[in-house]
Amino acid sequence: MLTSNTRLKLQEILRRIAHQDEVSLGDRIYVQKFADRDATVASWLRTARRLQRGPAATGVDQLLTALDLGDVDGDTKAPNNADDDLGDWFSGAPDWLRRS
């Protein structure tokens, strides 16, 4: 759980990131430390990074931004390998989700 002072400090740093203002390395490390441990802070950081890229285009990009889905960078693509098997992708899944 974040204290009020910590939350306000994080949100101020994230505001600066979103508006492309100067953010020190120490501040970025501070935010990342909390983002690694707290899903809410991680979501705030992803939103700030999306806003930093500029306004989302209309359509699917805007929807993905609003739902906090998809890759923040947008350039990362999964490798296209024809030999991949969907069953291998679910190999670490619980028993109820695996193939029978």
Side-chain angles (χ1 to χ4, degrees), residues 2-12 30 34:
L2 299 174
T3 65
S4 295
N5 289 337
T6 302
R7 180 184 51 81
L8 292 172
K9 181 176 180 180
L10 288 170
Q11 289 177 333
E12 172 57 26
Y30 182 77
F34 283 98

Side-chain angles (χ1 to χ4, degrees), residues 78-89 99:
N80 187 8
N81 187 353
D83 297 330
D84 286 345
D85 182 28
L86 187 59
D88 293 338
W89 193 78
R99 286 187 197 175

